[in-house]
Amino acid sequence: MKRTHIQGLLLGGLAAACLLVALLLARPSPAEDTSRPEPTSALPLSSNQQVRKQQGEPPQALTLPQAQAMAPQGAYLPDTPQGFQLESAYYDPTEDCLTLLWTRPGAYDELRWSISPYGASHAPRLTAVADLENYDLSRYPIPRADSVPEALREVVDHPIFPGEELSQEAVQRRAYTLKDAGDSQGPRMSFGVRYGDMVVELTAKGVDPGWVYGQLATLPGSADQT
């Protein structure tokens, strides 16, 4: 009986030792590379895949000459407003959008100008110049949350005009002023203009509406250029 017990202990110890050796043999050595290469596609990336690959890329800072040379957006940039200086210029590859910001030193005046391809998100804000209820701010006193009908709020907040219809009167109807000691005392405006496949969107404080119209009227696709 005692011999049988000892034999059982020996067999159990032997089995444990065999298991330990098996585990050690199964473990890869430090020098061994067990990683597998990622499978590669034999086909080139489609245009949609390329767009998805671009998503998440940070905006790219540009100089003014670089922004002006960017096609096609650079053709839709304005001159620098008198008394202003370029604050920043950047290109967002995710939205294919070029944005420039000019500011007036020592003041709160600014001009933000963006150019991007026309897309579905712009369509709800597209309005004919004849449809005054869609953009004429003289019809809607501040606070506009109380004066603008809910169905029109999106287009009234930032309308987009067809380039061939834009007029100086329409630009003037977008201008208004606010009495705020801590901000610009000049005219403010916010709207966009569609030129074929491209859209220019701007917000301005302290910039003359006549100057803004003059810049927009010289861009490709405007009434003066068609």
Side-chain angles (χ1 to χ4, degrees):
M1 189 71 178
K2 185 175 181 180
R3 177 182 293 181
T4 303
H5 177 68
I6 293 174
Q7 290 176 340
L9 291 175
L10 290 173
L11 290 175
L14 181 60
C18 292
L19 179 60
L20 179 59
V21 171
L23 290 174
L24 290 174
L25 292 175
R27 180 184 300 175
S29 64
E32 183 181 359
D33 184 7
T34 59
S35 61
R36 295 182 179 180
E38 292 293 329
T40 57
S41 173
L43 299 176
L45 291 175
S46 67
S47 59
N48 288 338
Q49 287 172 321
Q50 291 173 345
V51 170
R52 288 196 296 269
K53 186 177 180 180
Q54 288 180 340
Q55 291 180 352
E57 291 185 11
Q60 305 167 8
L62 303 172
T63 63
L64 181 57
Q66 287 174 331
Q68 293 170 331
M70 179 170 286
Q73 290 92 336
Y76 297 89
L77 287 174
D79 298 329
T80 298
Q82 185 174 2
F84 285 66
Q85 65 183 21
L86 184 66
E87 182 80 14
S88 64
Y90 62 89
Y91 171 69
D92 183 347
T94 302
E95 301 295 334
D96 196 12
C97 181
L98 177 65
T99 300
L100 280 75
L101 172 66
W102 289 269
T103 58
R104 191 194 301 273
Y108 297 98
D109 302 338
E110 65 177 42
L111 172 65
R112 186 180 300 274
W113 194 283
S114 298
I115 308 104
S116 61
Y118 179 79
S121 63
H122 296 114
R125 297 186 283 121
L126 191 64
T127 179
V129 169
D131 296 332
L132 298 181
E133 70 276 7
N134 287 343
Y135 69 91
D136 184 359
L137 295 181
S138 67
R139 299 186 174 206
Y140 305 112
I142 297 173
R144 295 197 178 93
D146 298 332
S147 61
V148 179
E150 184 174 356
L152 297 178
R153 285 179 183 171
E154 183 176 9
V155 65
V156 170
D157 181 62
H158 196 87
I160 298 175
F161 303 110
E164 64 274 12
E165 295 184 16
L166 187 67
S167 66
Q168 186 165 353
E169 182 181 5
V171 173
Q172 192 64 52
R173 290 180 184 275
R174 290 299 300 169
Y176 67 100
T177 58
L178 286 178
K179 294 181 179 180
D180 188 343
D183 208 336
S184 174
Q185 302 299 301
R188 302 163 181 252
M189 65 193 80
S190 173
F191 63 95
V193 184
R194 179 184 181 184
Y195 299 98
D197 294 332
M198 304 301 293
V199 176
V200 171
E201 299 191 77
L202 65 95
T203 58
K205 296 191 296 184
V207 183
D208 177 57
W211 181 90
V212 171
Y213 171 72
Q215 295 295 307
L216 293 168
T218 63
L219 301 182
S222 64
D224 290 351
Q225 301 297 314
T226 56

